[in-house]
Amino acid sequence: MHFVLAHLRKDLQIEWRAKDSINGMLFFSLLVVVVLAMAFDPGSYPTLTRQISGGLLWVGLLFAAMTALNQSWSRELRNNVLDAHRLAPAPASALFVGKAVANFLFVTAVELVLAPIFVIFYNLHPLGETWKLLIILPLGTWALVVNGTFFAALGLRTRNRETLLPLVLLPISMPALLAMIQATTDVLTGEFEPTLWIKVLVAYVVVFTIACLFLFETILNSD
Amino acid sequence: MPKWALAYLALTLVALAIGFEKAMTAPTEATMGNLYRVFFYHLPHAIISFVFPYLNCVASFAYLYWRNRDADRAAAADAFALASAEMTVLYASIGLATGSLWGRAAWGIWWAWDARMTTYLLLWLLYVSYLILRGVSATGQTGVISAVLAIFAAIDVPICFMSIRWWRTQHPAPVFGDGGSVDPVFFPALLWNMAAWAMWGAFLLGMRYAVERRRQRQAAAYAVGFLGSDTAEGLEGAR
């Protein structure tokens, strides 16, 4: 456990000093919000806005997270830090969990800024029980980040790894994306109960977190 | 090619010919006319394309198990995983294309986001991404990272299947025909094509596996050549 905390502290410290991935994500997702406002008119169709905002929010976050996930491992490549990690007596899964939690915190920070921006820019009036978003957002973020961190490590030594990550991550994340978008839309429109989709998300998160933990050591020592 | 493989190929071609004959002479369907005959190709390809992913998953597990125990078996498992993934993409592509043609004829639209089709498309996407990953990965680690991705894909497919089913039951989509009702008069054509395309799939799988094994041996021989021994001799030994 204290290995995880050590890794987490290191990642947070690096990010705190450089702030490059958080700033990149924030500005990128803000740009996505603006670009999407050109695709449709959020002011004049409140019902339509409620129906699609959930999807738009997650798509923006997904793309933003993708930029940060790539960076999070490539910073370990400099000065062969990754090989040092492999030599260290700490378990490989601790490295993974530390990195995943750090990425989770970064994406959550972006969400905390992005969600109010959505409400303001798109004149959003949620009709369902908004507190349920406090369950859906962290679950969905973890679902994206846990697999994203894993696949970013998997593609680390491949050619053009920046393009590879979305190609591999998106098909695998499709059920999670479906669940988080449907759950968010259910809350915003207030037409359905999001319970079923929250259950799907929980199942997805549990299954893939376990798979990542089991297979990470294989990935780390793959050559 | 060994003799038994040639005999098997001949048998497969005969079965394909019989399947074609049965498909073309089956009675014309009442509402769709001759256009329905694409169904005899669509159904076998679609069903068989669900078999290859299992083979791929089993081969990937075998690869990870043998990786540090028996290098040659691991390489064989890796070749089999690659061959079955390519077959998945090939058969699923044909399944999607024929399905789309049939949908256009039967329902008047090329594509519907109905539960079964969406899952099928995702299956196709997963294995295309697997092949892309194999294409860009560094030589020494292709086997490991693609095996890991294959296991993730295999975990993903059932979750996908269930969640998309719930998605479509919550928001009901138009239901086109009921899948289970095929008139017995079409059974001969259907079963012959099923068998023939399964045999053909197995043949291609075996061929692709053999080609990949040969490529592995040649690559190994080249590596030995780099280390100092005579390359031409090493290549000869690899055959």
Side-chain angles (χ1 to χ4, degrees):
Chain A
M1 190 62 206
H2 73 273
F3 289 121
V4 175
L5 287 179
H7 283 300
L8 178 62
R9 218 182 54 213
K10 171 211 60 174
D11 273 322
L12 292 181
Q13 210 159 38
I14 294 175
E15 185 57 36
W16 179 250
R17 288 184 186 152
K19 299 190 189 67
D20 40 4
S21 66
I22 268 216
N23 282 345
M25 275 199 287
L26 268 178
F27 195 59
F28 184 87
S29 45
L30 183 64
L31 288 176
V32 170
V33 170
V34 175
V35 169
L36 289 174
M38 290 166 192
F40 73 107
D41 185 358
S44 12
Y45 305 101
T47 318
L48 176 77
T49 310
R50 265 195 292 275
Q51 279 164 357
I52 64 175
S53 283
L56 298 184
L57 173 72
W58 282 111
V59 169
L61 276 174
L62 176 69
F63 290 150
M66 214 84 83
T67 60
L69 289 167
N70 267 319
Q71 283 176 16
S72 76
W73 285 107
S74 55
R75 87 168 44 126
E76 304 282 348
L77 278 183
R78 261 173 260 145
N79 304 325
N80 296 328
V81 180
L82 199 63
D83 292 330
H85 281 313
R86 287 163 67 176
L87 290 173
S93 51
L95 170 64
F96 174 75
V97 174
K99 187 72 86 182
V101 172
N103 283 332
F104 173 77
L105 293 177
F106 300 154
V107 179
T108 308
V110 173
E111 266 163 29
L112 290 180
V113 180
L114 194 60
I117 287 183
F118 251 86
V119 172
I120 294 167
F121 275 15
Y122 288 2
N123 287 321
L124 206 56
H125 301 290
L127 297 179
E129 296 160 281
T130 0
W131 62 268
K132 282 185 178 156
L133 284 178
L134 292 177
I135 309 170
I136 299 164
L137 282 175
L139 270 176
T141 313
W142 180 254
L144 286 183
V145 160
V146 73
N147 274 349
T149 311
F150 186 84
F151 285 118
L154 181 139
L156 199 55
R157 291 188 210 82
T158 55
R159 278 175 277 133
N160 55 21
R161 58 168 178 268
E162 275 80 14
T163 29
L164 182 72
L165 179 65
L167 295 187
V168 178
L169 180 60
L170 281 178
I172 294 276
S173 305
M174 219 54 98
L177 277 172
L178 176 68
M180 56 185 106
I181 290 175
Q182 293 298 322
T184 315
T185 310
D186 287 349
V187 168
L188 291 181
T189 58
E191 284 170 9
F192 298 99
E193 277 296 306
T195 326
L196 169 71
W197 295 112
I198 294 178
K199 281 181 193 159
V200 173
L201 262 182
V202 170
Y204 182 93
V205 160
V206 170
V207 168
F208 277 98
T209 307
I210 292 171
C212 287
L213 288 178
F214 268 109
L215 290 167
F216 183 71
E217 193 157 9
T218 319
I219 284 297
L220 191 63
N221 301 318
S222 63
D223 45 358
Chain B
M1 232 195 300
K3 276 211 182 73
W4 61 266
L6 282 175
Y8 178 76
L9 174 62
L11 213 64
T12 306
L13 290 178
V14 171
L16 281 173
I18 297 177
F20 181 76
E21 197 266 335
K22 297 270 181 212
M24 291 305 133
T25 53
T28 309
E29 212 262 352
T31 46
M32 277 176 273
N34 276 326
L35 281 167
Y36 88 100
R37 288 179 205 278
V38 73
F39 170 69
F40 294 128
Y41 295 91
H42 173 64
L43 189 75
H45 279 100
I47 289 180
I48 297 163
S49 67
F50 280 108
V51 177
F52 294 118
Y54 288 105
L55 301 178
N56 176 263
C57 178
V58 171
S60 300
F61 269 114
Y63 174 80
L64 287 182
Y65 177 77
W66 276 321
R67 186 164 69 98
N68 293 324
R69 294 180 174 83
D70 184 338
D72 191 53
R73 273 192 191 167
D78 188 44
F80 195 79
L82 170 65
S84 52
E86 285 186 353
M87 292 307 295
T88 309
V89 172
L90 176 68
Y91 268 58
S93 305
I94 297 176
L96 281 172
T98 50
S100 192
L101 284 174
W102 192 34
R104 175 72 187 158
W107 314 324
I109 45 173
W110 296 103
W111 185 263
W113 287 101
D114 122 278
R116 213 175 288 185
M117 293 159 81
T118 314
T119 320
Y120 197 49
L121 181 67
L122 277 174
L123 178 86
W124 184 84
L125 287 173
L126 277 171
Y127 284 90
V128 170
S129 80
Y130 173 89
L131 291 182
I132 292 176
L133 178 72
R134 286 199 77 107
V136 298
S137 55
T139 333
Q141 53 161 200
T142 311
V144 183
I145 62 178
S146 55
V148 169
L149 180 63
I151 292 169
F152 268 74
I155 300 173
D156 206 40
V157 168
I159 301 181
C160 235
F161 179 75
M162 290 315 292
S163 58
I164 288 173
R165 276 236 322 229
W166 287 323
W167 181 34
R168 280 314 175 194
T169 41
Q170 194 176 6
H171 308 267
V175 180
F176 306 106
D178 8 292
S181 57
V182 177
D183 197 290
V185 79
F186 300 124
F187 277 172
L190 206 53
L191 294 179
W192 269 106
N193 273 304
M194 238 359 239
W197 288 106
M199 285 167 78
W200 176 243
F203 176 74
L204 282 186
L205 182 70
M207 281 294 281
R208 186 65 188 91
Y209 170 76
V211 167
E212 177 64 14
R213 286 296 279 162
R214 178 173 294 183
R215 192 200 60 75
Q216 285 175 352
R217 281 197 297 271
Q218 283 189 353
Y222 273 120
V224 172
F226 272 124
L227 294 176
S229 86
D230 188 12
T231 311
E233 208 172 274
L235 267 181
E236 210 47 55
R239 294 210 180 95

